Amino acid sequence: MTEHSPSLQIDPVTAIRSLAGQNLIGGRRVPSARRLPVLNPATGTQLGDAADAGAVETDAAVAAARGAFDAWARTPARTRGKAVAAAGRALAEQSEAIARILAMETGKALRTECRGEVAVAADLLEFYGGLGSELKGETVPYNPRMLTMTIREPLGVVAAILPWNVPLVLMMLKIGPALVAGNTVVVKASEEAPFATLLCAEILAAHLPEGCVNVVCGTGADCGAVLTAHPDVAKISFTGSEAVGQAVYEAGAKRIVPVSLELGGKSPMIICADADLDRAVEGALSGMRFTRQGQSCTAASRIYVHADLKDAFLAKIGARLDAMVIGDPLDEATEIGTIINARQAATIRRYVAMAEKVEDAEIRRYGRLPKGGAIVPDLFEQPTLILGLPEDHPCVREEIFGPVAVVQVWQDYDDVIARANTSGYGLAATIWTRDLNTALDATARLDAGYVQVNQNLTIQPNVSYGGFGRSGLGKEASLEAMTEHFTRKKTIVMNFDG
Ligand code: NAD
């Protein structure tokens, strides 16, 4: 630990060792006989062993959640909320250890990514913890002699299936509202990044009745698919790839249970000729999530810059990218860490190689790859901008999930709006302009669930977040997300007349 680091209460390495092979079921650690190796992508060495849970552990986790459900559902909503908020505060107290574990398993930089992720995860629990009293129904003016009303009821056991890129924030987006609404949960951790998830769930579970929060670690086929097909799972909330999202949706359809899907994206960022260029450059840097190696579903990976600003934009963003430090995720100086694994790195390189084949394409790589020490350079990628691609090129249309953005030039406003809307995804979009009429027109026409003007913020508690089209179904992060996706509405008509 460097002298700048906040104090550690839990030793991350000891925690990872003790969590080896474990699931969290009914408030206790339950080991799996089979194990999955978890690598530290920055060093290429094995960080630890995760449980490789199968049907037995998954059934046990669902049974524990089912067993806890009735009493938790009957607990007053504010009491549930207070417990969840207290868990959020407890999580914040352990934030440094959790952030370090996250950095080691994901390769994301501790300073620029992991500390912030833990802080947002804790904040989401506090945010949802305060919303217990908002689980309100309505009265309906159906007949003055009858009391007609709706109430919100919890659904039962919620399956929360997580990817590796921002596992803690995505976990809390699901289980925070699920728990406050009176559901119990089984989290399926990502096989790439299970340890921080497990540790957070343990801290949370300590504030809740036994069995309310359970975690299984394992593969998609042996653990995730068992969970989504389980007859006692009443709701599936999934974040991950489009292909797996389709399988999860099918599994839900077979049992007619509600499914929320947060899938991929190819978010456009339109920079108008009148934009504040410095602000747009900062927005492109943060929106493209270069500090997360671009491994973000909302990454602003299609930058449409007006022809008048192209050269100035490239000069400014190039200087900023060149100065970013790529290196050991645990080093305080590092701004950009590693890609999660060799498969993802190969995918990124395959896309760049496709762009290299285009005659007019220009590939600009920035920054310096790290050398030496315990760091293995294989999984580091330089931030990359690609220019001169046709609009139908895979790099322009498909999610790369790496630090690679395409920069497309435009002159005609209607044309750029049409181009922005062609990917089939619809997660996020931004427009950068000083003109209110342009902003209003673009926000109406951009086909995305999260549209921002002159900023490129990530998920914010209280702001509904969720995609259109291939980007998924449902909203997260808001009150609406809790009531619409983690409760059911019951209509009651009372008639004592005669
Ligand atoms: P993935 O789809 O491969 O895996 C996600 C999770 O699903 C993992 O826990 C995996 O084990 C599990 N899984 C796999 N097969 C399953 C099955 N048949 N049934 C049930 N569960 C199964 O995704 P990933 O590689 O972990 O994450 C990257 C993807 O996630 C990217 O495509 C990215 O766009 C997407 N993502 C979306 C958002 C969003 O909010 N829209 C956020 C983060 C990541």
Side-chain angles (χ1 to χ4, degrees):
M1 188 173 33
T2 73
E3 59 187 346
H4 305 290
S5 304
S7 64
L8 276 181
Q9 289 173 324
I10 299 173
D11 175 54
V13 175
T14 312
I16 289 171
R17 248 183 238 134
S18 75
L19 290 167
Q22 304 293 328
N23 304 283
L24 179 70
I25 300 176
R28 275 178 285 279
R29 291 183 182 182
V30 176
S32 283
R34 291 181 314 179
R35 305 275 181 105
L36 288 169
V38 179
L39 297 183
N40 176 336
T43 61
T45 56
Q46 189 167 333
L47 184 63
D49 277 321
D52 183 4
V56 172
E57 299 93 321
T58 308
D59 283 349
V62 176
R66 185 67 195 85
F69 173 66
D70 291 343
W72 183 244
R74 282 197 305 271
T75 303
R78 270 203 79 208
T79 309
R80 294 193 302 249
K82 282 181 183 174
V84 169
R89 290 191 292 276
L91 200 77
E93 281 167 23
Q94 305 295 344
S95 59
E96 183 63 11
I98 299 167
R100 282 171 176 270
I101 294 171
L102 190 63
M104 286 190 269
E105 60 188 4
T106 61
K108 296 194 295 182
L110 176 65
R111 178 171 64 85
T112 54
E113 281 290 322
C114 296
R115 288 196 184 115
E117 177 168 353
V118 182
V120 174
D123 190 36
L124 279 165
L125 292 182
E126 286 215 57
F127 165 70
Y128 274 114
L131 294 184
S133 329
E134 297 300 320
L135 290 156
K136 295 170 189 160
E138 299 138 352
T139 53
V140 180
Y142 164 56
N143 181 326
R145 303 186 67 85
M146 296 175 203
L147 175 58
T148 304
M149 60 184 180
T150 61
I151 58 167
R152 293 278 177 182
E153 294 181 337
L155 298 164
V157 177
V158 171
I161 303 181
L162 307 180
W164 45 262
N165 63 330
V166 242
L168 305 183
V169 166
L170 299 173
M171 170 163 71
M172 301 320 172
L173 284 176
K174 299 177 187 319
I175 73 175
L179 289 165
V180 173
N183 305 280
T184 54
V185 301
V186 177
V187 175
K188 152 72 177 80
S190 162
E191 47 273 66
E192 313 281 342
F195 297 123
T197 300
L198 264 175
L199 186 55
C200 286
E202 279 196 346
I203 294 168
L204 186 48
H207 288 79
L208 303 173
E210 209 168 85
C212 285
V213 177
N214 306 275
V215 179
V216 280
C217 304
T219 63
D222 291 341
C223 178
V226 174
L227 188 57
T228 54
H230 200 291
D232 283 338
V233 166
K235 155 89 194 185
I236 306 166
S237 180
F238 171 84
T239 299
S241 63
E242 192 180 340
V244 177
Q246 285 167 346
V248 167
Y249 201 17
E250 272 182 30
K254 282 195 181 126
R255 295 189 302 105
I256 321 284
V257 296
V259 176
S260 303
L261 301 172
E262 294 287 351
L263 308 176
K266 191 75 188 175
S267 300
M269 165 169 182
I270 300 173
I271 304 172
C272 299
D274 69 342
D276 176 334
L277 188 59
D278 289 329
R279 201 166 157 179
V281 167
E282 292 311 310
L285 290 166
S286 64
M288 184 45 212
R289 315 275 186 266
F290 281 110
T291 56
R292 200 184 297 157
Q293 298 76 258
Q295 300 170 133
S296 164
C297 48
T298 21
S301 52
R302 280 190 294 154
I303 302 171
Y304 290 99
V305 63
H306 191 276
D308 292 355
L309 294 183
K310 177 192 161 201
D311 293 341
F313 173 77
L314 286 169
K316 280 179 188 261
I317 195 167
R320 291 280 278 111
L321 287 171
D322 253 340
M324 288 180 86
V325 180
I326 310 172
D328 180 351
L330 292 176
D331 191 324
E332 296 290 339
T334 295
E335 293 171 286
I336 297 179
T338 69
I339 303 304
I340 186 76
N341 58 30
R343 188 165 36 99
Q344 188 63 27
T347 301
I348 296 164
R349 288 164 195 164
R350 200 177 60 243
Y351 274 107
V352 177
M354 279 192 264
E356 275 164 345
K357 292 205 182 90
V358 176
E359 203 180 322
D360 294 331
E362 189 189 338
I363 290 113
R364 298 189 183 189
R365 294 185 171 87
Y366 301 94
R368 281 192 310 278
L369 292 174
K371 286 197 198 96
I375 294 304
V376 179
D378 306 13
L379 299 187
F380 287 90
E381 279 293 314
Q382 286 167 286
T384 302
L385 300 179
I386 306 179
L387 293 101
L389 291 178
E391 204 63 26
D392 62 353
H393 190 276
C395 288
V396 184
R397 300 295 283 268
E398 296 169 18
E399 182 180 56
I400 299 175
F401 225 60
V404 180
V406 294
V407 179
Q408 304 287 90
V409 178
W410 67 276
Q411 277 176 303
D412 180 80
Y413 172 73
D414 288 327
D415 179 55
V416 78
I417 294 284
R419 287 157 73 188
N421 284 340
T422 51
S423 74
Y425 289 114
L427 195 50
T430 61
I431 178 138
W432 302 73
T433 177
R434 288 185 166 98
D435 182 61
L436 181 58
N437 286 328
T438 307
L440 285 172
D441 183 75
T443 53
R445 290 166 67 184
L446 285 167
D447 200 8
Y450 188 20
V451 179
Q452 299 176 72
V453 179
N454 297 331
Q455 63 173 23
N456 221 333
L457 296 181
T458 178
I459 292 168
Q460 304 293 315
N462 207 24
V463 179
S464 262
Y465 169 84
F468 296 162
R470 291 166 64 195
S471 292
L473 297 170
K475 295 288 178 196
E476 294 195 310
S478 58
L479 171 62
E480 160 204 9
M482 176 169 75
T483 51
E484 289 187 10
H485 301 303
F486 294 105
T487 69
R488 58 186 191 182
K489 197 185 223 183
K490 180 179 276 178
T491 302
I492 299 169
V493 186
M494 291 194 205
N495 185 345
F496 288 93
D497 200 19

